[in-house]
Amino acid sequence: MNKEKILKLRNLPIEEIAKRLGLQVNHHQTLCPFHSDKHPSLSFDTKRNIFKCWSCGEHGDNIDLVMKYLKKDFKAACKWLADESNIILVEWKPTVIQEETPTFDAKKYERFLGYHNLSPTAKEFLYNKRLLNPAIIEWCKISSWKDKEGKEWLQIPYFDEQGKLIGLQNRNLTIGDKPRFRFTKGSYTGIYNLRIFKYLKPFDEVYIAEGITDCLALMSAGHYAIAITSATLLNKEVCVVLAKLKSVYHAKVHMYPDKDKPGEELYAKLKVLLPGLIRHDLPEGCKDFSDYFIKQQKGLL
């Protein structure tokens, strides 16, 4: 493996990786998954990008966390981190035969998008827990399904600017179960909700969210919104599309950065790409826009 790529994996925000593993992180702490922990004893040092459990002694960096939590070896843990963060690892292979990058077979899945099929568990998550607008969920063609083990998943389709299906993201609805997310092979997942572009008029307001649930909350609040799930996904292709918000649509672009290091990093990178980006700070006690939206709907703010 390329040493620079491994260093890039080690530099991914460790709390974001912990969340992608399904750990509940609050105030830089979580229940330690490596022993029976009733009170959060595993803490994160975001400056050094490491973790340590003050009870059982487990410690390390991003790669160590994935290795220990998912019981993977070093190479498999690096591959998992790279796949989760859209980082391409250049690996030496002993044969000249190389696997082709899988292509997304849209036709295989398009026929299932005509239904608005949500299980009671999915409705509980979307409508009772997240308080999202059912009309938005239907417009986004979000549905749910069960795998062979009986686990329930949300199926979230990605469309391009013309409305063509280009990818699928699946979210595990079983709390604490792993993996939390699955992506259909070959899916493009750089920007969520590109379909709004064809509805934009000059100088419309557009919000950039850090995550799909934040994007759905912004839409439920009456805004045009797109989502980027991580600063690590800001590759050249994504940046070209985002730049069109100004150069083609002349949109006024807004953002509520999440109240954490990854949120600030994403905002900083987007501010360079979109100098006119308008920042909105979340109220105290709100970790992201979804949390803010829920508290507004409940009259707590």
Side-chain angles (χ1 to χ4, degrees):
M1 292 184 191
N2 186 304
K3 291 183 179 180
E4 292 183 1
K5 297 290 186 182
I6 294 174
L7 180 60
K8 191 172 183 178
L9 295 178
R10 293 190 191 279
N11 288 334
L12 292 170
I14 193 165
E15 289 189 351
E16 181 182 341
I17 299 306
K19 291 175 183 177
R20 285 176 178 252
L21 287 169
L23 299 177
Q24 302 296 315
V25 181
N26 291 298
H27 305 296
H28 308 302
Q29 291 183 313
T30 187
L31 291 172
C32 180
F34 307 118
H35 73 280
S36 181
D37 198 7
K38 296 182 179 179
H39 302 286
S41 59
L42 188 148
S43 63
F44 299 96
D45 184 335
T46 55
K47 290 184 178 179
R48 294 192 293 168
N49 220 39
I50 59 174
F51 74 93
K52 180 176 181 179
C53 176
W54 298 97
S55 180
C56 70
E58 288 285 2
H59 65 282
D61 59 17
N62 282 336
I63 300 175
D64 295 316
L65 181 62
V66 174
M67 288 174 64
K68 294 173 182 179
Y69 190 79
L70 297 181
K71 295 180 173 56
K72 293 179 179 288
D73 61 20
F74 180 84
K75 183 177 178 180
C78 287
K79 186 177 185 305
W80 184 92
L81 276 168
D83 290 344
E84 284 289 310
S85 307
N86 280 11
I87 294 174
I88 299 174
L89 290 179
V90 179
E91 300 179 13
W92 176 84
K93 294 184 180 181
T95 64
V96 295
I97 300 174
Q98 296 184 355
E99 294 183 4
E100 294 183 1
T101 302
T103 56
F104 179 72
D105 185 2
K107 291 183 179 179
K108 182 178 178 180
Y109 302 99
E110 282 174 340
R111 59 196 179 99
F112 297 110
L113 298 181
Y115 311 68
H116 179 50
N117 181 28
L118 290 172
S119 69
T121 302
K123 290 179 180 178
E124 172 67 24
F125 174 78
L126 294 169
Y127 302 147
N128 296 337
K129 185 176 179 181
R130 297 288 182 169
L131 304 182
L132 299 171
N133 185 338
I136 295 299
I137 300 303
E138 185 170 4
W139 186 81
C140 292
K141 298 187 178 181
I142 295 173
S143 58
S144 63
W145 60 283
K146 284 187 179 181
D147 62 19
K148 293 179 180 179
E149 298 176 357
K151 296 178 182 179
E152 292 196 53
W153 299 79
L154 274 185
Q155 181 172 269
I156 305 167
Y158 281 66
F159 300 95
D160 66 12
E161 295 170 55
Q162 288 71 46
K164 178 184 175 182
L165 181 66
I166 54 176
L168 289 171
Q169 176 179 339
N170 296 284
R171 176 173 181 150
N172 196 333
L173 289 173
T174 304
I175 298 175
D177 194 29
K178 312 295 180 305
R180 190 179 177 194
F181 298 103
R182 284 181 180 172
F183 297 90
T184 303
K185 288 183 179 180
S187 292
Y188 168 85
T189 56
I191 303 175
Y192 175 70
N193 204 32
L194 284 173
R195 199 158 52 125
I196 67 160
F197 277 31
K198 67 179 181 179
Y199 298 100
L200 292 179
K201 300 183 294 294
F203 309 108
D204 270 345
E205 315 274 338
V206 178
Y207 286 75
I208 298 179
E210 186 184 356
I212 290 177
T213 51
D214 283 352
C215 180
L216 296 173
L218 281 160
M219 293 172 70
S220 294
H223 303 295
Y224 284 126
I226 59 175
I228 300 170
T229 57
S230 169
T232 60
L233 298 183
L234 285 178
N235 54 34
K236 183 177 180 180
E237 183 181 4
V238 169
C239 289
V240 168
V241 175
L242 290 175
K244 290 169 67 175
L245 286 172
K246 280 299 191 183
S247 63
V248 177
Y249 300 101
H250 308 289
K252 295 180 180 178
V253 188
H254 302 254
M255 184 179 180
Y256 284 87
D258 286 4
K259 283 196 169 182
D260 55 20
K261 184 178 178 181
E264 291 298 332
E265 288 180 350
L266 179 59
Y267 171 78
K269 290 184 177 181
L270 288 173
K271 186 69 174 178
V272 173
L273 179 66
L274 301 167
L277 181 63
I278 302 168
R279 178 187 179 116
H280 301 271
D281 289 318
L282 292 162
E284 287 298 321
C286 297
K287 61 182 181 179
D288 53 32
F289 187 84
S290 182
D291 186 27
Y292 177 36
F293 175 74
I294 290 169
K295 289 176 179 176
Q296 279 187 316
Q297 295 298 104
K298 290 183 176 180
L300 300 177
L301 294 174

